[in-house]
Amino acid sequence: MPELPTTPRGAATSRRILDAAAEEFAERGIAGARIERIVSAARTNKAQLYGYFGNKDGLFDAVVEDRVNDSTQAIPFDVDDLPGWAVRVYDQNLRRPDLVRLIAWIRLERNSTGLWFAGAQHDHKLAAIAQAQADGRMCPGDPFEILTLVISMASAWSPASGVYTATPDEPEADHERRRELLRASVARAVAP
């Protein structure tokens, strides 16, 4: 993310821009998003937006980084409880479907194959999985593929699903049934 302002007023403006842009990009994608709608929703102007984020692509990248950081802080990775972590990812997808939608737009408009991100965002998770495997606490296999499998299972009912997208207003019993299925399935999938 770019160097953001340090004054309270500047920080508040950049936060409004990020939040408005996240909504706009999640709903309309990169190509469909309009800077005019973002600055209007953020109660600012184009000069501030461009000053903070450079251009539309820079703003999109900053939004994705912001949402990934938010998600990572909200659901810290726990290699010793991958089933519970998967359930927390499921719940985060219910509360904050914007990150899943942003990733879907990356797939549609930027990078249709391979990794959707660049960098070392998952390195600590992969190292933890490899250590759990070395200790005999987890099934063998490529750590990245295990992580991909668990994230995919946790996202089975998210906006990325090709079958069904769950919403927070569904009966809690439906969510709890899915959580239990997810917890049990991940436990079986990663068992040594």
Side-chain angles (χ1 to χ4, degrees), residues 37-93:
R37 284 193 292 257
I38 294 169
V39 296
S40 175
R43 300 179 321 277
T44 189
N45 58 60
K46 288 181 185 181
Q48 283 187 308
L49 184 148
Y50 290 127
Y52 293 151
F53 302 103
N55 57 35
K56 188 176 178 183
D57 283 328
L59 176 59
F60 181 81
D61 293 339
V63 164
V64 171
E65 183 176 341
D66 179 65
R67 291 312 195 242
V68 166
N69 290 341
D70 181 58
S71 181
T72 300
Q73 290 173 6
I75 46 174
F77 184 73
D78 184 356
V79 74
D80 293 316
D81 184 21
L82 280 183
W85 182 75
V87 168
R88 290 187 295 278
V89 171
Y90 170 88
D91 288 336
Q92 180 74 352
N93 288 340

Side-chain angles (χ1 to χ4, degrees), residues 1-12:
M1 200 153 55
E3 192 73 28
L4 294 179
T6 56
T7 66
R9 187 173 175 184

Side-chain angles (χ1 to χ4, degrees), residues 47-146:
Q48 283 187 308
L49 184 148
Y50 290 127
Y52 293 151
F53 302 103
N55 57 35
K56 188 176 178 183
D57 283 328
L59 176 59
F60 181 81
D61 293 339
V63 164
V64 171
E65 183 176 341
D66 179 65
R67 291 312 195 242
V68 166
N69 290 341
D70 181 58
S71 181
T72 300
Q73 290 173 6
I75 46 174
F77 184 73
D78 184 356
V79 74
D80 293 316
D81 184 21
L82 280 183
W85 182 75
V87 168
R88 290 187 295 278
V89 171
Y90 170 88
D91 288 336
Q92 180 74 352
N93 288 340
L94 282 176
R95 285 188 305 273
R96 300 288 304 274
D98 56 342
L99 178 57
V100 176
R101 291 181 58 84
L102 291 166
I103 294 167
W105 285 112
I106 290 171
R107 285 289 186 219
L108 289 169
E109 296 184 301
R110 277 194 175 170
N111 187 7
S112 62
T113 61
L115 294 174
W116 65 265
F117 59 91
Q121 294 172 337
H122 292 301
D123 285 354
H124 71 286
K125 297 171 189 170
L126 301 177
I129 290 171
Q131 186 61 54
Q133 290 171 317
D135 295 343
R137 295 179 287 130
M138 189 175 294
C139 66
D142 181 280
F144 183 78
E145 291 177 357
I146 291 171

Side-chain angles (χ1 to χ4, degrees), residues 163-185:
V163 180
Y164 186 83
T165 300
T167 62
D169 59 338
E170 292 176 304
E172 183 57 29
D174 291 350
H175 294 302
E176 196 51 41
R177 185 183 66 249
R178 292 178 195 133
R179 290 180 187 112
E180 289 309 312
L181 175 61
L182 178 59
R183 186 177 283 113
S185 298

